[in-house]
Structure formats: structure tokens, C-alpha cells
Amino acid sequence: MGAQKASEDGDRRIGRRALIVGGVVAAAGTAALARDELARLWWRVPGVEKPREQGVVDYAGARWVAASDANWRRADRPDDFGVDMVIVHVTQGSFDSAVQAFQDPDHQAASHYIVGQDGRVTQMIRELDVAYHAGNRDYNERSVGIEHAGFVDRPEDFTDEMYEASARLTARICARYGIPVDRDHIIGHVEVPGTDHTDPGPHWDWDRYMKLVRRARTMQARPSPSASATAG
């Protein structure tokens, strides 16, 4: 089953890129494509990947700890797959145990981020790549997954620091990909079709969380005082 899945994933990516490459070749043949456009698209040729630097994070407040490469699939999102969703998870364990699980190649699952009860954020998979977190291939390909350390039946695990840090992270992800800040696009793992998970559970305060995300999104969209002074 694993080999078949890998083959299907490869076929899908190559098929999409073949269309791009065909368009590039045709345009270049007619001298209709500018040099800077060719430079922008070169990495989309099959077998050519975006340049990456070890330890680079997508969210400035995060610390990088790499997940096992058995728990995610290399991609070039949002060019291969559009990103239009954030999925909220709860680890059913501690922060450290979640990190260890995502580093375990036998775990076969991991999210892009983990948020601790103290507000710390660790990124384990680049947003470019497809994390195996939702239990649904389509949702994996189109979403960013955020784990929250704790247990679904312990409301005290969902601290102020956790809510606020996670909301800032989600707001930044929504800004990056143009994701609407609403409950159709920011969902719980339990809402993914076909899943047997119940997280984030009944004690996750969605009203509070969404208000915090909207507030963070508004604050991020405001120009800084120095930028305003420069513009004036």
C-alpha cells in the first residue's frame, strides 16, 4: 500500500508539472516568455526543487525541529497544491511526547506545528510540504496542521498563552495564503471527512479562538508606526 501511494503521489505531481513544462517550452520556442519568467519557473521542471535551507521556519516565532521524513511528503505548495485551510489538533499528550512521535518514522503522522501550553511554537514540517496530519489525502494537501499540547478532556490544558500564540500563528498562515478567517476554513480535526478523531474536543473554545485570530489578523495588517511615518 505504501509503494502504491508513493507512486500515485509521484504521478500526480509529474502530471501537473508536465503541463507547466509544456507551456514553458512552447512559450520559449516562440520567444514569448521573458527571461525573468523563465527564472521564476525553472524549479517547476520535474526533478527540480525549490532551494531550501536547513532549519528555516515559515513563522518567525517558531523553533525548528525536523519531523521524520516518513511522516510528510515533499511538495512545492501553494504551486503544486493550493492552501486554503488550517486544521486544529490536540496531541493527547505532552509537548515533548508529540515532538518525539513526529520524529518517529513508524508514527506515520505529523503536523506542521506544535503549540505548547506556555505559548512556545515548534515547526516540524515546512508549509511547502504535505504533512500527514488530517487522515484525508485531499485535506492534507490543502491545509496546514497545528497541534496543541494537552488532552481533549482537560480544559485547563488550553491556556491563555496557548490560545494567543496559536491565534497569532493561524492569523499569519491565513494572511500568507489569503485564507478567510472563518469556521469554513479554520476547522478541527474532528471536522475532516472520514476521520475517527475527536480533537480538539468539546472544551476547545472556538468563539474565543476565532476572535483572537481575527484580532491578530487585524493587528498584523496594520502598518507599523515607522512605516506610516516613512509613507507620510
Side-chain angles (χ1 to χ4, degrees), residues 6 11 13 47 51 57 111 116 119 131 160 166-167 190 192 207 211 214 218 230 232:
D11 291 345
R13 290 185 66 193
V57 295
S111 289
D160 294 344
S166 178
V190 66
V192 175
D207 288 341
K211 287 178 182 177
R214 292 187 187 100
T218 299
T230 302

Side-chain angles (χ1 to χ4, degrees), residues 88-109:
V88 173
H89 303 261
V90 172
T91 62
Q92 288 298 95
S94 69
F95 186 98
D96 291 340
S97 67
V99 171
Q100 292 172 4
F102 293 171
Q103 291 177 315
D104 180 358
D106 294 326
H107 189 64
Q108 297 295 301

Side-chain angles (χ1 to χ4, degrees), residues 12 41 49-50 92 103 119 123 125 155 163 196 198 202 215:
R12 183 168 183 174
L41 296 177
E49 299 291 349
K50 285 182 179 177
Q92 288 298 95
Q103 291 177 315
Q123 182 171 5
I125 300 169
Y163 274 119
D196 59 356
T198 62
R215 185 178 72 184

Side-chain angles (χ1 to χ4, degrees), residues 5 9 13 52 68-77 80-83 109-112 125-134 136-145:
K5 180 179 183 299
D9 290 344
R13 290 185 66 193
R52 303 179 188 215
S68 167
D69 58 11
N71 298 328
W72 56 274
R73 187 174 85 244
R74 195 175 181 94
D76 290 312
R77 302 192 310 170
D80 279 1
F81 309 104
V83 178
S111 289
H112 295 89
I125 300 169
R126 289 293 306 276
E127 292 176 17
L128 288 166
D129 298 319
V130 176
Y132 303 151
H133 67 100
N136 177 307
R137 177 172 172 169
D138 178 56
Y139 277 65
N140 282 341
E141 290 172 345
R142 62 190 288 200
S143 67
V144 173

Side-chain angles (χ1 to χ4, degrees), residues 20-217:
I20 296 167
V21 173
V24 170
V25 171
T30 60
L33 194 62
R35 178 177 298 179
D36 61 342
E37 186 69 4
L38 282 171
R40 187 177 68 84
L41 296 177
W42 72 269
W43 56 263
R44 299 175 76 173
V45 176
V48 176
E49 299 291 349
K50 285 182 179 177
R52 303 179 188 215
E53 295 182 28
Q54 186 175 1
V56 170
V57 295
D58 297 299
Y59 179 65
R63 178 178 68 105
W64 174 257
V65 177
S68 167
D69 58 11
N71 298 328
W72 56 274
R73 187 174 85 244
R74 195 175 181 94
D76 290 312
R77 302 192 310 170
D79 297 284
D80 279 1
F81 309 104
V83 178
D84 65 358
M85 192 172 295
V86 174
I87 299 180
V88 173
H89 303 261
V90 172
T91 62
Q92 288 298 95
S94 69
F95 186 98
D96 291 340
S97 67
V99 171
Q100 292 172 4
F102 293 171
Q103 291 177 315
D104 180 358
D106 294 326
H107 189 64
Q108 297 295 301
S111 289
H112 295 89
Y113 294 96
I114 306 174
V115 180
Q117 293 169 6
D118 57 0
R120 59 179 156 161
V121 178
T122 290
Q123 182 171 5
M124 300 193 68
I125 300 169
R126 289 293 306 276
E127 292 176 17
L128 288 166
D129 298 319
V130 176
Y132 303 151
H133 67 100
N136 177 307
R137 177 172 172 169
D138 178 56
Y139 277 65
N140 282 341
E141 290 172 345
R142 62 190 288 200
S143 67
V144 173
I146 304 176
E147 289 279 358
H148 299 80
F151 294 84
V152 296
D153 58 350
R154 287 171 34 177
E156 64 270 21
D157 288 350
F158 306 141
T159 64
D160 294 344
E161 294 83 358
M162 173 182 283
Y163 274 119
E164 290 167 3
S166 178
R168 290 191 295 269
L169 171 59
T170 293
R172 180 59 65 190
I173 294 168
C174 289
R176 184 162 27 253
Y177 301 105
I179 301 172
V181 179
D182 59 38
R183 287 284 284 114
D184 290 328
H185 297 85
I186 303 172
I187 67 171
H189 195 181
V190 66
E191 297 170 83
V192 175
T195 186
D196 59 356
H197 288 251
T198 62
D199 55 313
H203 299 297
W204 182 262
D205 191 338
W206 279 108
D207 288 341
R208 176 185 182 185
Y209 186 64
M210 295 304 296
K211 287 178 182 177
L212 288 170
V213 176
R214 292 187 187 100
R215 185 178 72 184
R217 181 72 187 92

